[in-house]
Amino acid sequence: MDDVFRALASPSRRRLLDRLHSKNGQTLNELCKGARMTRQAVTKHLALLEAANLVVTTWQGREKLHYLNSVPIHEIYERWIGKYERHRLQALSELKKGLESKQVNITEKRYG
Amino acid sequence: MDDVFRALASPSRRRLLDRLHSKNGQTLNELCKGARMTRQAVTKHLALLEAANLVVTTWQGREKLHYLNSVPIHEIYERWIGKYERHRLQALSELKKGLESKQVNITEKRYG
DNA sequence: ATAATATGCAACTATTTAGTTGCATGTCAA
DNA sequence: TTGACATGCAACTAAATAGTTGCATATTAT
């Protein structure tokens, strides 16, 4: 679990997760494109994500495919959010989305 | 949002969140007891948590009370977990708990 | 008033981390 | 079978971070 938080701590790694979320199963090279760092740096980040079990990989010939695994994220959620709190937060979040789609601005801070 | 991940990155800060989760509204001094660092270090951690809006505070005389705010955690959850994936993960997690209560061991890795 | 309590602010150090460059290995295609 | 491609591994540097010590400020209790 410790690995998960460490892995999520870096913006670069979160961006990688975002990219896998939008398109799963990408190769290292694919993930390098658009990243503002060397391939070697990306490799290191992916290694950390994999160690944290946030990313799962398979080899296909000389290419390594990367997949997002959401289980650890779910475990974070369960750690600090009570069973009954979940419904409330879900409702809140959907309300917020609804309002945003009507161009009404709500700041983060308002939800105490 | 960036602040949230940075704040969650440190085990010391996660322990503080755990303590607030089990007992909300504690003072700085209360939170210092049992922590293996100086009060000043705890203060810094709480400042980061507060900046990330993971902790909310109120003053009461010379005492500062700290409360856990779970909204940012929920936002992490929504970022990488698709709407329909949630039910699956919830079911999985409850299955796991059920099995664990029967003394059956399941490793993290099994959930791809 | 004064002492004790609760907290804040700042300078410093040691460690960790992100990113780099350089070189090695394994696979595919002509 | 040779050249191009996809990836891995290691040493290094610069920046960020966790924790410390020391001192300051504000509130409560005697």
Side-chain angles (χ1 to χ4, degrees):
Chain A
M1 200 67 191
D2 232 54
D3 302 331
V4 178
F5 291 103
R6 261 200 23 185
L8 290 174
S10 142
S12 305
R13 285 192 287 273
R14 293 198 299 274
R15 244 173 277 132
L16 288 170
L17 288 184
D18 284 337
R19 295 186 65 181
L20 287 180
H21 187 228
S22 70
K23 184 188 171 194
N24 220 2
Q26 296 186 65
T27 67
L28 172 60
N29 251 340
E30 240 174 316
L31 289 168
C32 282
K33 286 172 189 163
R36 287 183 197 165
M37 47 184 159
T38 58
R39 173 182 57 80
Q40 288 88 335
V42 176
T43 303
K44 279 198 202 170
H45 285 307
L46 288 171
L48 279 185
L49 289 169
E50 202 176 343
N53 200 27
L54 281 161
V55 163
V56 173
T57 61
T58 56
W59 279 94
Q60 194 160 295
R62 61 181 165 179
E63 291 183 330
K64 194 177 188 180
L65 304 181
H66 299 77
Y67 299 87
L68 179 60
N69 176 25
S70 43
V71 171
I73 306 282
H74 189 259
E75 288 173 353
I76 293 179
Y77 186 70
E78 290 207 309
R79 178 167 178 175
W80 289 302
I81 298 196
K83 200 169 177 179
Y84 302 105
E85 210 170 351
R86 283 169 211 167
H87 301 98
R88 198 196 100 219
L89 285 170
Q90 197 56 53
L92 205 61
S93 146
E94 268 149 29
L95 171 66
K96 191 181 170 187
K97 275 184 205 152
L99 290 173
E100 274 167 357
S101 70
K102 292 176 189 160
Q103 311 289 342
V104 176
N105 181 40
I106 293 189
T107 68
E108 298 292 317
K109 297 279 182 188
R110 289 230 183 133
Y111 302 112
Chain B
M1 198 66 189
D2 232 54
D3 301 331
V4 178
F5 290 102
R6 261 199 23 183
L8 289 175
S10 143
S12 304
R13 285 192 288 274
R14 294 199 298 275
R15 243 172 279 131
L16 287 170
L17 288 184
D18 284 337
R19 295 186 65 179
L20 287 179
H21 187 229
S22 69
K23 184 188 170 190
N24 221 2
Q26 296 187 65
T27 67
L28 171 61
N29 251 339
E30 239 172 317
L31 289 168
C32 282
K33 286 172 189 164
R36 286 183 195 167
M37 48 183 157
T38 57
R39 173 183 55 80
Q40 288 87 335
V42 176
T43 302
K44 280 199 202 169
H45 286 306
L46 288 172
L48 280 185
L49 289 169
E50 202 175 343
N53 199 28
L54 281 161
V55 162
V56 173
T57 61
T58 55
W59 279 94
Q60 195 160 293
R62 63 181 163 177
E63 291 184 330
K64 193 177 189 181
L65 304 181
H66 300 77
Y67 298 88
L68 179 60
N69 175 25
S70 43
V71 171
I73 306 281
H74 189 260
E75 289 172 354
I76 293 180
Y77 187 69
E78 290 207 310
R79 177 168 180 175
W80 290 301
I81 299 196
K83 200 170 177 177
Y84 301 106
E85 208 170 351
R86 283 170 210 166
H87 299 99
R88 198 197 103 218
L89 285 169
Q90 197 55 54
L92 205 61
S93 145
E94 268 149 29
L95 170 66
K96 192 180 169 191
K97 274 184 206 156
L99 291 173
E100 275 168 355
S101 71
K102 290 176 190 159
Q103 310 290 342
V104 177
N105 181 39
I106 293 189
T107 68
E108 298 292 316
K109 298 279 181 188
R110 289 227 182 135
Y111 302 113

